[in-house]
Amino acid sequence: MSATAAVAAPSVYSGGSSVIALGVLLAEFGMFRQALLRDQVRLYAVQSGLISVLAILVAAVRHLPDLYVLAALSAALKVVIVPIVLRRLLRGIGRAGEDEPAAGWTEIAGSGSLSLANTVLLAIAVAAFGFFSVRALNIRSAVLPITALEISVSVVLVAFVLMIMRRDVASQAIGFLSLENGISLAALVVAAGLPLILEVAFLFDLLVAVVVFELLIRVHHGRAESLSTADLTSLRG
Amino acid sequence: MSAALPIPVIQFLQVATIGVAAPGVSGVIAKVEARLQGRRGPRVLQPYYDLAKLLHKEALAPEGASWVFLAAPVGAAACYLTVPLLIPVLTSFGLPLGYMGDILGGGLILALASFLVAIAASETGSPYAQLGASRAKTFSAITEPVVLFVIFVVALVTGTDLPYALAATVRSSASQIVRPAHLLAAAALFMVILAETGRIPVETHTGTNEFGMIEEARPFEHSGPYFALLKWGSWMKQLILYTILLNVFVAPWGLAATAQIGDVALAIVALVGKAVVLGIVVAVIDNSFAKLRLFKITEFVSAAFLLAVLGVFTLYLGGG
Amino acid sequence: MFAVILLLLILPFAAAAVSLRAPDRVAGAVTAVTGVACFGLVLALVPAAAHRDLDYLSYLRIDAVSVVFLMATSFLYGAVAVYSIGYLAPSRRSRDPGFSRYSRRFYTGLNLFAWSMLAAPMMNNLALLWIAVEVTTVISALLVAIENTDGAAEAAWKYILIASAGLGLALLATIFTYYAGAQVLGQHYDLSFTPLLHAGARLPHTPVRLAFVLAVVGFGTKMGLFPVHTWLPDAHSEAPTPVSALLSGSLLAVSFYAILRYYQVAAAALGPAFPRDVLLVFGVASLLLAALYLLDQRDVKRMLAYSSVEHMGILAIGVSFGAPIALAGVLLHVLAHAAAKGNAFMGAGVLVHKFGSKRISGISGGLDLLPWSGPLFGIAILALCAMPPFGIFRSEFEIVQGGFSSARYATPAVLIVLVTLAFFGLTVAANRMLLVPARGRVAADLPRGEPSAWMVVPVVAGVAALLVLGVHPPAELTGLLSRAVHQLGAVT
């Protein structure tokens, strides 16, 4: 009926790992939908968990024992510790009433300037740019299919869209953390052999950054009595 | 017995299976949903009794409606009876009439049926029918790109547009099942099916909430045998869409490889069984989520569009 | 030499630890001593690095390029540390209750900030370099927010978000560089600098190209290149003055150092043409934007921040010329800009303190009311505008000459025009602040005199340094610079 050549199927390992990487990208898109900060943090934990699972898969199939340690550490840090830190931060702020506890944990994220569907379309266009540009680079990885690298670059770009479209500091911080997730996925694809000590250093660096983010969010909240960035317009020119 | 059935009989059986089993599948979904809610629920065979009852009732037409109002249900049912000829319902090999139209052709005929019903509804001048018709057309317009991208996935994977070819490809190896494009296309198509058959999160199938009605409002003005035809048509559409999803994407096993009567009978049972399982999944979803407000349906469709687009990208750009 | 390097790494950290607990006068004294000592230690490194590269512990590597940036950082560290004693004195005198906590945080942060900026040029490893730059971002963001005003909170949030996102891109650049190197050096090498450079010609082109562009955009975010400079005016104007001086003078330079390292790898792999074109585009854009914004500024520290963007653009343009003399000019410019910008900020801090306002319209009659800081601030502004006999004149002259000698005529011409525009902007503002006689309620109330001698001495030292650099750089420095130029692979 038609003359286009069929695209051959990848191996089971390639297909499976691509599906897990795809889960990371879908979690990134999912963050657009989540209105509650609590749900965003949970989705970030899911995304980090997927990356750890992928690292374990790569370690098992490609025989890179370092990656087991890395997967365990990054799971401990990004799936457990960082969400706990964020939850502690958000519980402690937010508008506290007379009798009710501070509601920062269930605070609704500031909505952006575009509607959700339009933002998703914009993000799809941006992700398309990521896919096409990585394809044009013609990079081969020995460890994971190149689809995973395309996905990781798309995650980075979509995280930028997320950070731009969000109107409160906590969502912007979570967007930045998901950007780091995209970069660690890219590292898994092209830099799986990076010495473990350096990867661990990156992880601790992320932890320090999270702590500083928390402090600055507290400062912002202390002054502005809210998490919104709508009033951060005084410095111009 | 292992007599081979003649091919025209198998073709007829395809149509007959869909036509006869459709109300039953709908009845099973209603029963399961009621059970999940803690009620006893209607009989599984209730839809058949409803059709029989409606055939005996008087048919009324609103003043000012023309022959289109009466012809539309017949036309729609005819379309729904044609589509099973084009898709793999019972057999894994292509039947002669199946080459009349590929997957795009099947989609076009389904759209034609929906169009006829919408015209008839707008003809009536009744506010609810018109409301349902215009909403249904709007939302099917925005789900069209999703369906197109799913068809692109099929075309890229197999090199043809034929649903039979994709079914064969999926059956061929485990790597075909796990590939991301296939999973994404199946997920996107499932979301479109939820929208097209009027299920949560797009529309409630059981309530009469006028603010949210899309598909349910269109047959408001029809009555008697015409109403029976419309209901039967919508059940057939549901089963056809389920069949496409199951026999092409998700579970293309259990199809008859030969024309032996035993194989065909097994295929009929397998199809009905798979459709019932999918119906149970839909019933669980019905009870787990809330209906989306109308203006949020665009978010739902954009999510389906995202899945379909990613399916094309991973195929075209990644060999996935 | 190893002892020198170890001391350079340990002393600021130890000073930070002391500042965490000690009362404010002790912390101030320890910081000032540490700062001046670090500058002395770096000066001791100059003769050694002019002849050979120093490698220790396989993580530390000091070559001529590193020492240039170490000098910029340590000079400002010493100057700012002394200046801080006078800067914090008024708050101490006013017996503000939160003062001891503020001063503890301030000194600890200052020392840690200087420590991280001293560590970065010493890293042998692209990954550790990234980590060092990230640590500088994190610490400086806290320092920007330390004033606890609305503007400071906004500026700190903008800074850390934009800079962290940019550093995320830089991390992607590191990863792609690793990938490029892994194709040649095997999967488990560790991004050390020298093996990468040696394998330069064999590296695959596409990943290196991508990595270089990502590195320029990513580290350029911290350096202040257009279009990712948007945090810079806010952060530099809202931070306390000593921190602003360090941010403008040293932090931008350290980010530029990171870009230079990637430039070396890219030039080795791709040839010099592509990296230079990329830097040219960003440099001209930054210079253009800064020159235009300088014409209409109302806040003195914001104006100086845009001047930093201007000078960073000049640095990028200078590297893009590629001639040896242009590169020598670039490295000299790093040193001279650190001194001049530090002076300008320190002088601006005195003006702001004296007149109680950061707005240019609120400051007038500076020359009359401040017998030392007024003229010194004017000299600093003139130095920033590349007036002879100061160091920036010499460095910009060398950059322009390098441009002409590599047969590019349009870009040096554009550079001269835009620098002149910036000169207009800066001198009009300085004129309003210094030469126009004091008017209004300002004139009646303020006594004539310096707030503190501690705030004058570092500026005098800075002016002296600028004169030295401009009139007759010492022979060891020239030797160091020529070795550094040679390492950067000058090819016309």
Side-chain angles (χ1 to χ4, degrees):
Chain A
M1 177 138 292
S2 81
T4 57
V7 179
S11 70
V12 176
Y13 167 71
S14 291
S17 53
S18 298
V19 169
I20 299 179
L22 212 55
V24 175
L25 181 60
L26 288 177
E28 189 66 37
F29 274 98
M31 289 212 203
F32 281 108
R33 170 84 165 84
Q34 303 297 27
L36 294 181
L37 291 172
R38 171 190 68 192
D39 293 334
Q40 287 182 5
V41 172
R42 284 187 189 155
L43 206 52
Y44 168 72
V46 165
Q47 195 183 45
S48 314
L50 280 173
I51 295 184
S52 299
V53 165
L54 189 59
I56 294 178
L57 185 65
V58 170
V61 174
R62 298 289 186 215
H63 309 295
L64 293 166
D66 278 354
L67 284 181
Y68 286 119
V69 180
L70 183 66
L73 274 177
S74 78
L77 179 66
K78 292 198 277 192
V79 178
V80 179
I81 295 183
V82 169
I84 287 180
V85 167
L86 285 173
R87 192 163 74 180
R88 193 188 65 186
L89 162 74
L90 290 173
R91 274 197 204 284
I93 61 180
R95 283 171 222 96
E98 287 297 321
D99 299 317
E100 61 199 48
W105 187 232
T106 50
E107 188 150 327
I108 295 185
S111 60
S113 39
L114 284 181
S115 76
L116 177 64
N118 290 339
T119 315
V120 169
L121 288 178
L122 171 68
I124 291 178
V126 165
F129 173 73
F131 270 94
F132 278 95
S133 54
V134 172
R135 189 61 172 171
L137 290 178
N138 243 337
I139 293 184
R140 299 244 167 285
S141 161
V143 170
L144 278 175
I146 205 60
T147 317
L149 184 65
E150 293 168 2
I151 288 174
S152 67
V153 171
S154 302
V155 169
V156 171
L157 292 174
V158 171
F160 272 116
V161 175
L162 190 66
M163 279 164 64
I164 293 172
M165 287 292 155
R166 288 291 186 188
R167 287 274 173 268
D168 68 282
V169 289
S171 297
Q172 286 176 348
I174 298 175
F176 167 71
L177 291 175
S178 58
L179 188 142
E180 292 280 328
N181 263 349
I183 296 177
S184 52
L185 183 61
L188 202 57
V189 178
V190 290
L194 199 62
L196 188 61
I197 186 76
L198 293 174
E199 304 260 16
V200 172
F202 288 141
L203 279 180
F204 275 107
D205 184 76
L206 182 71
L207 183 61
V208 170
V210 168
V211 171
V212 173
F213 268 105
E214 175 187 1
L215 287 176
L216 285 176
I217 290 178
R218 280 190 201 279
V219 166
H220 173 88
H221 184 262
R223 297 218 60 85
E225 284 297 316
S226 86
L227 292 175
S228 162
T229 60
D231 291 326
L232 292 188
T233 55
S234 61
L235 298 172
R236 281 183 195 242
Chain B
M1 286 204 291
S2 49
L5 285 175
I7 295 293
V9 174
I10 301 185
Q11 300 236 257
F12 171 70
L13 272 179
Q14 277 190 311
V15 178
T17 310
I18 296 283
V20 169
V25 169
S26 174
V28 167
I29 296 179
K31 180 83 170 175
V32 168
E33 205 172 320
R35 282 287 171 163
L36 286 175
Q37 289 172 0
R39 304 182 276 126
R40 271 175 55 181
R43 300 180 272 198
V44 173
L45 297 180
Q46 185 60 38
Y48 296 104
Y49 290 105
D50 284 343
L51 283 180
K53 170 188 77 175
L54 283 169
L55 284 174
H56 290 312
K57 293 223 169 185
E58 180 189 9
L60 294 176
E63 251 181 65
S66 67
W67 60 273
V68 176
F69 180 78
L70 297 175
V74 180
C79 289
Y80 290 130
L81 287 171
T82 313
V83 176
L85 293 172
L86 307 173
I87 56 176
V89 177
L90 292 178
T91 59
S92 61
F93 54 91
L95 296 172
L97 282 182
Y99 294 103
M100 275 198 308
D102 56 1
I103 203 169
L104 265 178
L108 282 175
I109 298 180
L110 286 176
L112 174 65
S114 178
F115 173 67
L116 288 175
V117 176
I119 289 189
S122 9
E123 250 220 325
T124 62
S126 145
Y128 286 123
Q130 285 181 317
L131 182 90
S134 68
R135 280 179 185 167
K137 286 298 109 197
T138 310
F139 287 121
S140 63
I142 56 175
T143 54
E144 273 316 300
V146 184
V147 175
L148 276 178
F149 271 87
V150 170
I151 295 177
F152 290 160
V153 167
V154 173
L156 281 174
V157 168
T158 59
T160 78
D161 247 357
L162 289 175
Y164 287 99
L166 181 63
T169 312
V170 172
R171 270 196 298 268
S172 61
S173 76
S175 60
Q176 290 285 3
I177 302 176
V178 188
R179 72 192 299 182
H182 172 249
L183 294 175
L184 285 170
L189 189 61
F190 181 65
M191 290 173 83
V192 169
I193 288 178
L194 283 181
E196 288 287 325
T197 55
R199 294 278 171 195
I200 300 279
V202 176
E203 187 185 352
T204 64
H205 213 71
T206 52
T208 53
N209 181 3
E210 293 88 1
F211 294 124
M213 281 196 291
I214 305 175
E215 305 265 330
E216 294 293 301
R218 292 184 307 172
F220 258 21
E221 293 297 317
H222 294 264
S223 50
Y226 298 100
F227 190 46
L229 273 178
L230 279 181
K231 284 186 85 78
W232 187 43
S234 78
W235 291 328
M236 275 199 289
K237 176 166 103 169
Q238 177 179 268
L239 187 56
I240 288 171
L241 289 174
Y242 284 7
T243 309
I244 294 179
L245 180 67
L246 289 166
N247 281 351
V248 177
F249 286 94
V250 173
W253 298 284
L255 294 173
T258 68
Q260 305 287 340
I261 198 171
D263 286 348
V264 173
L266 200 60
I268 295 177
V269 172
L271 174 66
V272 174
K274 286 188 286 193
V276 163
V277 171
L278 185 58
I280 293 176
V281 170
V282 171
V284 170
I285 292 179
D286 257 12
N287 278 332
S288 312
F289 293 93
K291 188 180 92 69
L292 286 173
R293 297 180 60 180
L294 274 183
F295 66 87
K296 293 212 179 204
I297 294 181
T298 48
E299 295 173 12
F300 179 74
V301 175
S302 67
F305 183 61
L306 168 69
L307 292 176
V309 166
L310 283 180
V312 171
F313 281 163
T314 48
L315 252 190
Y316 184 65
L317 299 171
Chain C
M1 284 301 120
F2 184 48
V4 171
I5 295 169
L6 266 190
L7 277 177
L8 267 177
L9 282 176
I10 293 178
L11 280 181
F13 197 75
V18 167
S19 315
L20 204 50
R21 284 271 161 244
D24 131 82
R25 284 189 190 273
V26 173
V30 166
T31 309
V33 166
T34 314
V36 175
C38 285
F39 182 55
L41 286 170
V42 171
L43 284 181
L45 276 178
V46 170
H51 296 294
R52 66 179 204 284
D53 299 339
L54 308 165
D55 285 298
Y56 298 106
L57 288 183
S58 84
Y59 286 126
L60 300 173
R61 180 169 178 273
I62 307 208
D63 60 2
V65 178
S66 318
V67 173
V68 170
F69 289 89
L70 282 175
M71 276 203 290
T73 304
S74 57
F75 174 76
L76 270 185
Y77 181 29
V80 155
V82 174
Y83 182 84
S84 303
I85 300 179
Y87 182 75
L88 288 183
S91 309
R92 182 187 324 120
R93 271 191 293 248
S94 69
R95 296 261 180 272
D96 194 8
F99 174 70
S100 65
R101 221 168 51 146
Y102 175 85
S103 82
R104 266 211 301 273
R105 285 184 193 164
F106 179 83
Y107 280 117
T108 315
L110 194 68
N111 284 310
L112 278 177
F113 188 30
W115 169 72
S116 59
M117 285 197 293
L118 284 173
M122 294 201 243
M123 292 292 135
N124 186 16
N125 188 323
L126 285 179
L128 289 179
L129 175 63
W130 182 88
I131 293 176
V133 177
E134 170 80 20
V135 172
T136 66
T137 309
V138 159
I139 299 178
S140 51
L142 291 174
L143 279 174
V144 169
I146 202 172
E147 294 276 326
N148 211 11
T149 63
D150 281 340
E154 177 182 342
W157 180 250
K158 230 167 137 177
Y159 172 37
I160 195 154
L161 205 62
I162 298 178
S164 300
L167 280 181
L169 286 181
L171 182 57
L172 211 50
T174 315
I175 288 171
F176 277 116
T177 312
Y178 169 84
Y179 170 77
Q183 308 303 97
V184 174
L185 296 170
Q187 277 287 332
H188 293 282
Y189 81 110
D190 64 346
L191 277 175
S192 287
F193 195 57
T194 338
L196 260 183
L197 269 188
H198 284 320
R202 291 177 284 152
L203 292 173
H205 283 208
T206 320
V208 176
R209 208 173 273 154
L210 178 66
F212 181 67
V213 173
L214 282 174
V216 169
V217 174
F219 284 115
T221 313
K222 292 226 53 186
M223 182 179 159
L225 293 177
F226 178 86
V228 281
H229 68 288
T230 44
W231 59 273
L232 207 154
D234 303 340
H236 289 210
S237 71
E238 296 295 326
T241 307
V243 176
S244 300
L246 269 180
L247 282 173
S248 270
S250 304
L251 187 58
L252 302 185
V254 167
S255 314
F256 180 57
Y257 169 79
I259 294 183
L260 272 184
R261 289 302 186 198
Y262 276 91
Y263 171 78
Q264 276 186 284
V265 174
L270 305 169
F274 175 77
R276 286 183 194 164
D277 289 339
V278 171
L279 282 174
L280 181 67
V281 167
F282 280 100
V284 172
S286 309
L287 181 56
L288 177 65
L289 178 102
L292 291 176
Y293 265 91
L294 274 173
L295 294 175
D296 176 37
Q297 283 299 316
R298 280 178 218 108
D299 177 321
V300 56
K301 285 170 75 170
R302 215 173 161 80
M303 178 182 78
L304 291 176
Y306 276 111
S307 165
S308 297
V309 176
E310 171 209 345
H311 285 281
M312 290 300 123
I314 295 175
L315 284 179
I317 295 177
V319 176
S320 79
F321 286 155
I325 193 166
L327 286 174
V330 162
L331 291 171
L332 186 64
H333 195 91
V334 170
L335 295 173
H337 176 252
K341 191 48 65 68
N343 284 354
F345 266 109
M346 289 193 272
V350 176
L351 283 173
V352 166
H353 172 70
K354 183 82 173 175
F355 292 89
S357 157
K358 279 197 296 189
R359 303 189 74 80
I360 293 178
S361 54
I363 302 176
S364 53
L367 277 184
D368 298 324
L369 294 174
L370 291 165
W372 282 91
S373 296
L376 285 174
F377 180 69
I379 291 175
I381 294 285
L382 288 178
L384 277 176
C385 300
M387 279 294 168
F390 298 108
I392 295 196
F393 170 71
R394 173 183 281 260
S395 61
E396 287 191 12
F397 188 84
E398 287 178 3
I399 290 176
V400 170
Q401 187 181 351
F404 287 142
S405 75
S406 52
R408 295 173 193 248
Y409 299 105
T411 315
V414 166
L415 189 149
I416 294 174
V417 167
L418 291 174
V419 167
T420 316
L421 269 184
F423 162 72
F424 283 143
L426 283 171
T427 46
V428 163
N431 180 43
R432 261 190 226 139
M433 286 192 286
L434 297 175
L435 293 174
V436 170
R439 55 170 184 268
R441 60 179 183 84
V442 169
D445 307 342
L446 292 172
R448 186 172 190 275
E450 293 293 328
S452 162
W454 291 108
M455 294 206 265
V456 172
V457 168
V459 186
V460 171
V463 170
L466 279 173
L467 280 173
V468 165
L469 288 174
V471 173
H472 185 75
E476 281 117 359
L477 184 63
T478 327
L480 183 77
L481 288 180
S482 61
R483 184 181 168 84
V485 165
H486 177 74
Q487 282 177 338
L488 283 175
V491 172
T492 41

